[in-house]
Amino acid sequence: MKVSLPLLACASTIPACVTGLATPNAAIKVAAQGMNILKPVFKLEAELQAAALGALSGVDKEAIANEIEANKKSNKVLLYTYGLSPFSSESISLLEESGYEYTNIELGAEWFLLGGEASQTRVQLSKEVETGATSLPKIFIGGKCIGGCAELSDLIESGRLDSEMKEAGVTKKGEEQEKKNIFSSFF
């Protein structure tokens, strides 16, 4: 029996190959997992930035929290990202390749370029994860924060992304239109 090279290339990530989902970038995944070491420094920096810039621009913390809650309720898959972050870019790429519908809210190009409202949003988002990490992306599926890039990669590699999406009622791009077209042919 002859085995083709593409199958061998996918051998370490069979679930991703079987489901047709993208394989996470190993270097980005390792770096994302390693960010936990710096979490206390990032948390302090984020809180100082939010306090200073939030005070200067009169940010309403309660309004920020309410906006996050509203976004979680109105989007089955929601990402908060930085435009220049390799972790955010990798997460967007993985979701694009998965074919699922999602909404991306970019807080800014990078953490040090955030204004008062975006800085406060980043701190508020840190309350969504047990670790209190202020890093982005923050990814929500069905209103629940799954974490960031490393956690999304884990869902894909384990083959659990499809079941998480199905449980949250997330459709793939174009899926709703296909259902409408199928049923319209009967009437």
Side-chain angles (χ1 to χ4, degrees):
M1 177 186 203
K2 202 172 187 182
V3 178
S4 66
L5 185 58
L7 180 60
L8 291 176
C10 294
S12 67
T13 56
I14 294 293
C17 294
V18 169
T19 64
L21 296 175
T23 303
N25 180 311
I28 297 288
K29 183 180 176 193
V30 168
Q33 291 168 334
M35 295 303 284
N36 282 333
I37 296 167
L38 299 172
K39 184 183 69 164
V41 173
F42 291 148
K43 185 168 181 66
L44 177 61
E45 171 278 319
E47 290 172 350
L48 289 172
Q49 181 182 26
L53 296 177
L56 289 173
S57 56
V59 173
D60 181 352
K61 293 179 184 180
E62 188 174 331
I64 297 287
N66 291 338
E67 183 178 354
I68 291 169
E69 285 303 312
N71 286 333
K72 287 169 32 182
K73 288 178 182 169
S74 63
N75 297 283
K76 291 180 182 177
V77 179
L78 174 65
L79 283 82
Y80 283 88
T81 62
Y82 299 132
L84 298 176
S85 164
F87 308 114
S88 294
S89 297
E90 175 74 357
S91 296
I92 290 168
S93 176
L94 291 170
L95 283 171
E96 274 298 313
E97 291 185 40
S98 76
Y100 287 104
E101 301 266 347
Y102 68 91
T103 300
N104 179 35
I105 298 174
E106 185 177 307
L107 292 185
E110 195 48 89
W111 65 268
F112 54 87
L113 299 172
L114 300 179
E117 188 173 316
S119 294
Q120 187 57 50
T121 301
R122 179 171 71 140
V123 169
Q124 187 65 36
L125 287 168
S126 73
K127 297 174 184 175
E128 298 285 340
V129 290
E130 284 183 31
T131 63
T134 58
S135 58
L136 295 183
K138 288 289 185 282
I139 304 167
F140 296 85
I141 298 176
K144 176 183 162 233
C145 187
I146 64 156
C149 183
E151 291 78 13
L152 177 61
S153 295
D154 288 343
L155 282 177
I156 291 169
E157 289 179 333
S158 69
R160 295 186 337 257
L161 181 64
D162 286 332
S163 62
E164 290 281 332
M165 294 296 203
K166 185 177 181 180
E167 186 179 312
V170 182
T171 58
K172 291 204 173 198
K173 295 175 184 175
E175 201 171 84
E176 284 298 315
Q177 189 60 41
E178 286 177 26
K179 285 181 185 176
K180 288 178 186 175
N181 290 341
I182 290 171
F183 290 117
S184 66
S185 65
F186 292 115
F187 300 102

